[in-house]
Amino acid sequence: MESNNEIISDLKGLVNIVNDGKEGYESASETTDSIELKGLFLKYSAQRAGYAMELKEHIAQHGGDSENEDGGILGSLHRTWIDIKQALSSKEDAAILGAIETGEKAAIEKFDKCLEDYASHADHIGLLQKQRTGILEALKEIETYRQRLER
């Protein structure tokens, strides 16, 4: 079983990735000209802000703190949400949606890694599963929008 510090570290990693998503969605909402997509992006940005708050509560329950309001500093070297910046420069909604898909898939992978260690995360497994499901639902909706645009 992981130590408490490792559990806190895992949860902080999830805070980083949901904050990356929040920032990515905010940037996308500011770039698109589509009112429909702007609303969708703002909805998911707010969802990720809520996820971060929930995760921070669990970090506090384990005796840690997460002052991070932004995406991960360490993750900035490898996080896939950075692709959004390139997509945003094109201002093409299909490119923006494709970059968001990449970010969402990375977030799901990060959640899956934590969920693999069921015993260590038993006290918040339901929360992690709920958030992962929310991210997966967002991914499916984003994919649907992109496929419609590409037709």
Side-chain angles (χ1 to χ4, degrees):
M1 183 169 196
E2 287 188 65
S3 75
N4 200 49
N5 287 339
E6 289 169 324
I7 293 169
I8 291 169
S9 177
D10 284 351
L11 292 174
K12 283 184 175 185
L14 294 177
V15 169
N16 288 343
I17 201 140
V18 297
N19 278 332
D20 284 346
K22 178 187 74 148
E23 292 173 15
Y25 278 120
E26 283 174 6
S27 296
S29 75
E30 293 166 2
T31 302
T32 186
D33 293 327
S34 165
I35 300 296
E36 186 179 12
L37 286 178
K38 194 177 292 280
L40 182 71
F41 296 154
L42 290 173
K43 174 180 93 170
Y44 287 128
S45 177
Q47 177 195 61
R48 297 311 150 79
Y51 285 179
M53 292 300 295
E54 292 172 339
L55 290 166
K56 288 176 183 181
E57 288 173 16
H58 280 275
I59 290 170
Q61 289 173 13
H62 283 274
D65 66 76
S66 179
E67 66 290 331
N68 180 5
E69 294 300 324
D70 301 317
I73 295 168
L74 178 63
S76 66
L77 298 175
H78 65 276
R79 71 180 181 210
T80 54
W81 279 99
I82 206 75
D83 294 340
I84 284 196
K85 291 190 193 302
Q86 291 157 349
L88 292 176
S89 66
S90 74
K91 284 198 143 233
E92 290 183 29
D93 288 337
I96 294 168
L97 291 166
I100 290 172
E101 284 179 44
T102 302
E104 295 294 49
K105 289 174 183 173
I108 288 169
E109 285 178 26
K110 185 104 172 153
F111 271 83
D112 285 348
K113 192 167 171 105
C114 288
L115 287 166
E116 284 174 7
D117 193 359
Y118 187 90
S120 293
H121 294 287
D123 70 321
H124 48 264
I125 201 82
L127 173 68
L128 298 185
Q129 290 170 332
K130 176 189 78 99
Q131 290 187 358
R132 185 200 182 277
T133 298
I135 293 168
L136 182 60
E137 289 169 357
L139 172 61
K140 288 178 181 176
E141 190 169 7
I142 295 296
E143 287 173 337
T144 300
Y145 271 93
R146 185 185 48 75
Q147 289 165 358
R148 268 196 293 173
L149 285 175
E150 290 179 344
R151 286 184 191 154

